[in-house]
Every structure is written in C-alpha cells, then in structure tokens.
Amino acid sequence: HHIIFDGWSELLLANELRVGLDRYSSRDRRPGELLPIQYADFASWQRNHYDDESLASSLDFWRAKLSPLPDDLKLPADGTEEWRRETRRVVFDPALSQRLDAFARSMGATTFMAIAAAVEILLARVANQPDFLIGVSTAGRGMPGTERLIGCFINTFALRVHVPADATFRQLVGRSRRDVLEALANEHLPYARVVDEFRPWSSGDLRPLFNVQLQMRDFPVYPDAGSRFGVEPQPPGGGRSEMLSIRARHHDTSTEVAFGFNVGLFTSAQVARWVEDFERIVVELVHHPDQLVWEVPMHADQPGADRPKKPEPRDRIEDAPAASVGGDQMNGAAAGRVASIWADVLGVDNVPPGATFFELGGHSLLAIRLLNRIKDTLSVDLPLTTLFTHASIEEFTSRVVAEMRDVEPPSEVSPPAP
C-alpha cells in the first residue's frame, strides 16, 4: 500500500531480501550497507523545501490548466457483478518499439510522451469524448540519496486531454510533450491540494479528478547476480480505485503496455478490443504521423455516434516549437567536464556531437544521477525537465554554462573528488 511504499520500493525490497537471504544462508552476520539518508530525512527536507510561495505558484498553474474542469471520462461499461482485477497486455515487437523510440526522439519527446498521446487518442475514441482528464504518476525521487530508499515518494498530476477533430498524431505527440514538461515543472504540489482546490466535497472510492491512470514504470533493475533465492511479488486483491490503470514498461528491445481493469466494470473481451485498438494507434502514429486521429478505423467506433466538431481557431493544436541554443555559448572547460560526466553516468566511452541523453541509453534513474553529478561538480542545480527541453549534449551544456554565469562560478572548474 502507498502508505508504506511505492512500486520503485518493491524492487528495492526484493533485492534486499535476496541479498539478506544470501548473507544469512552463508552465516555472514556483518550488517548491511548503511544508506546516507533515511525516509525521515526526506520528509524533513520536503517540509522545509516547499514553502507557501512556491506551492502558491504551482497552484496558480494548475488553476489555469484545469479550469473549468471537463466532464468525467465516460467509458462504456459492460461488466459483471463481480469486482475483480484483471490485466490485458500488449508487447510491441523490437521493430515497432524502435520506430516508436525514434519517432519520439525526432519530436524532442520521450517514449512515454508518445505512449501518453496514443493513450489519449484511444480513450477519446472509445468514449467518443475529446476533452477529459487522466492521471499521471511521477517517481518523485529528485532529491540526492533517495534512489535506494524504501518509502512512498510518488506524486500524481491530472493531465488535461484535448483531442479535437482536426488533430494529427504528430500534433498530439507535440502537445503531449509540452503538457508533460509543464506538469513536471509543477509536480511538487501535492495532488491532494489540487483536489481540495477543485472538489473539496469529494469522497468515495473513485479518484476525484480522474478515473484512468497512466504510468511509465521506468524503475531500476537489480539482477539476481547468482543469488540462490528468488523473490516473487503476489498481487493484492482488487480495489475500487481508478476504472482503468495503464502501465508502460520499456525493456531492452521491446515495450510492454498493461491495461489493468475491474471485471465489475468492463469485460475481458471489451478491454482486449481496446488493447488491439491501442496497438493499431501506435502503428499508425509511427508510420503515418500526419494522419487525422479520428479517421483510423477501430473496434471502439460506436455506430451512429457523432464525431467531435471542427474546433474554433483558438482551440487548434499548434506544433510545439523546437528548442534552439546558440553555439557561441559553449565554454571549453565546462563543455569537456559535462561531456565527461555524461559518458561516466551513461557508461560510454565518449559522447558524439549532437547525441541526446536518451539516445545513449539514459532513463529517469540515470537522469537523476547526472543532475546530481552536475550539481556536485559544477554547482549548477538543474530541474529534471532540462534533459527534455535541452536534450542534446550541446543544448544541455549551453544551459549549464548559462547557469554558471548567473551564479558567477570560479574561473577554473575543478574535477570531482575521488
């Protein structure tokens, strides 16, 4: 339960159990490795770090973003009397997974942002509803030292979805990129505070702002390393939270997306058709990105249902502008130091010009490590969103140099302590 820990912590616990059992079985009674901080330290830091002013700024953002609240998403329910959780999965083969990654990078986006756009299209088509909210969970482990802590760090934000009649796949991925980046810049405001703002009367089992949740499970992987013991999680009984939970996981050569649902609301056959439609959307997205999303044939099409009307000009989706950084900002010493840190964190020999962090195998855990190294070495504290808005090594270095000039660092950049 989240009152104890989150999904990231589940993998930490499984690894610690394997290590502990190996030690115990070999009569190794030495204490395990001590962590530099504990969860209470994080809670104290969080309480002191977010003052009323910073929370007020984010609350203003969410007021502007979510007001007025759209209607609740109305998925066609055809379930049974039984309340039980089931899961239907789709696994993209390596070719499709690679094309999805490449298309996302061409848009300056992540694979998650492209998957989020595909999910939004699916839900809009299934419900025949162009405006609604979905929930997105974030790891919340940006503070140094939290990577290996067991506890609940996640936060949730409500992502506003708008899929007008003239939207193309490319436009919606661009919009998804913009919306996710804006939300991440304001993610520290507790979700409960946003709920209090919009629905102070809310109660009951269902989530008060959305009923579908999306998550990218980009968690660290701990290999068994020859352990004699295996640890297998047992899923809990079905709860009555969101109607639909969608969890994506990116493997080495494939991408898996799991749709969790309650048979008390939807039938297995019903969700299986949605999963097929979702895969069809992803295929169309990467092969025909400029196609109108409402024109793709789907199982979910409701006979006789009216499609959304053409939007007014003010509601049209505009392509997100690409970030541009001038080359004259580059500082030789800092550029070399940043490239060295990138290579070390990513485990590569060198970083080619124009390469992006995610093209070189970066993910959220490595991103946190990179930013912590930049802070420790160059005294530049950057938000996680920097790796999306300044994805290439040149753009990222330019941002670092600009921040260094603002804080007037020493003229020489010292190497990190061994």
Side-chain angles (χ1 to χ4, degrees):
H1 194 283
H2 281 157
I3 201 172
I4 304 172
F5 62 29
D6 50 26
W8 185 309
S9 300
E10 183 179 308
L11 299 178
L12 290 170
L13 176 63
N15 181 65
E16 290 193 10
L17 280 173
R18 283 196 298 266
V19 172
L21 288 168
D22 282 331
R23 284 174 176 251
Y24 187 81
S25 64
S26 62
R27 301 185 181 279
D28 183 353
R29 297 297 186 265
R30 291 174 299 170
E33 179 186 358
L34 295 179
L35 299 178
I37 65 171
Q38 294 297 318
Y39 191 81
D41 300 310
F42 165 76
S44 176
W45 169 84
Q46 188 182 53
R47 191 177 299 114
N48 295 324
H49 184 72
Y50 296 131
D51 54 24
D52 291 340
E53 183 177 351
S54 64
L55 293 180
S57 174
S58 290
L59 184 57
D60 289 340
F61 166 81
W62 289 112
R63 284 195 188 107
K65 198 70 175 177
L66 303 182
S67 298
L69 286 181
D71 294 335
D72 291 338
L73 181 65
K74 297 178 177 63
L75 296 174
D78 190 22
T80 65
E81 295 297 324
E82 184 180 11
W83 204 272
R84 174 171 48 85
R85 297 289 290 183
E86 287 190 4
T87 302
R88 291 290 176 270
R89 291 180 171 83
V90 58
V91 179
F92 302 150
D93 60 46
L96 179 57
S97 185
Q98 290 170 10
R99 290 197 69 138
L100 180 62
D101 293 346
F103 177 73
R105 289 196 301 268
S106 72
M107 296 285 295
T110 64
T111 302
F112 171 76
M113 295 170 184
I115 290 175
V119 167
E120 293 169 4
I121 295 167
L122 172 71
L123 297 176
R125 293 288 301 271
V126 168
N128 198 43
Q129 183 177 338
D131 297 280
F132 52 91
L133 299 178
I134 62 173
V136 175
S137 296
T138 60
R141 292 176 180 258
M143 177 184 175
T146 58
E147 298 171 8
R148 296 175 58 193
L149 277 183
I150 290 178
C152 186
F153 294 84
I154 62 171
N155 194 21
T156 301
F157 58 81
L159 197 64
R160 184 156 203 156
V161 177
H162 182 51
V163 187
D166 63 345
T168 67
F169 290 106
R170 188 187 304 276
Q171 289 173 324
L172 287 177
V173 172
R175 177 175 178 138
S176 172
R177 174 187 183 275
R178 182 200 68 191
D179 290 346
V180 170
L181 288 176
E182 290 179 349
L184 288 174
N186 294 274
E187 67 165 328
H188 58 275
L189 182 70
Y191 171 65
R193 182 65 187 86
V194 181
V195 173
D196 289 341
E197 175 69 20
F198 287 96
R199 289 180 177 170
W201 44 264
S202 180
S203 63
D205 292 329
L206 294 181
R207 294 178 182 272
L209 289 183
F210 56 83
N211 45 33
V212 174
Q213 187 170 23
L214 173 64
Q215 183 183 51
M216 187 75 174
R217 297 179 71 84
D218 189 11
F219 298 156
V221 176
Y222 297 95
D224 291 346
S227 173
R228 298 167 51 202
F229 300 93
V231 179
E232 181 179 352
Q234 297 299 310
R240 292 181 178 237
S241 54
E242 62 275 338
M243 290 197 304
L244 193 65
S245 61
I246 304 172
R247 291 180 168 86
R249 187 187 296 273
H250 198 53
H251 302 286
D252 291 338
T253 59
S254 64
T255 301
E256 175 187 310
V257 183
F259 290 69
F261 63 99
N262 265 305
V263 296
L265 292 173
F266 312 114
T267 65
S268 297
Q270 190 178 17
V271 177
R273 290 193 296 270
W274 296 350
V275 172
E276 289 182 17
D277 285 339
F278 175 74
E279 186 173 17
R280 181 180 292 113
I281 288 170
V282 173
V283 170
E284 292 294 328
L285 186 152
V286 298
H287 288 92
H288 307 101
D290 295 310
Q291 183 177 1
L292 296 178
V293 301
W294 288 91
E295 293 183 354
V296 178
M298 288 174 50
H299 292 304
D301 288 337
Q302 302 174 21
D306 294 330
R307 293 288 175 83
K309 297 179 180 179
K310 292 288 185 181
E312 297 295 329
R314 61 181 173 83
D315 293 329
R316 293 185 184 276
I317 293 181
E318 297 180 359
D319 294 329
S324 60
V325 180
D328 59 347
Q329 292 179 328
M330 302 297 287
N331 176 284
R337 193 73 202 103
V338 170
S340 175
I341 294 173
W342 271 47
D344 187 36
V345 170
L346 292 167
V348 297
D349 294 333
N350 58 73
V351 181
T356 71
F357 184 76
F358 299 102
E359 285 177 335
L360 296 173
H363 51 72
S364 59
L365 178 60
L366 292 180
I368 293 171
R369 290 178 182 171
L370 173 69
L371 296 176
N372 288 338
R373 287 281 300 277
I374 294 294
K375 181 178 179 180
D376 293 342
T377 306
L378 302 176
S379 300
V380 173
D381 190 4
L382 296 174
L384 185 59
T385 53
T386 306
L387 282 168
F388 302 115
T389 57
H390 300 72
S392 72
I393 182 67
E394 289 90 348
E395 294 172 343
F396 183 85
T397 305
S398 297
R399 174 66 186 273
V400 171
V401 171
E403 293 291 330
M404 291 173 64
R405 289 172 179 168
D406 288 342
V407 299
E408 297 183 355
S411 57
E412 296 184 359
V413 180
S414 300

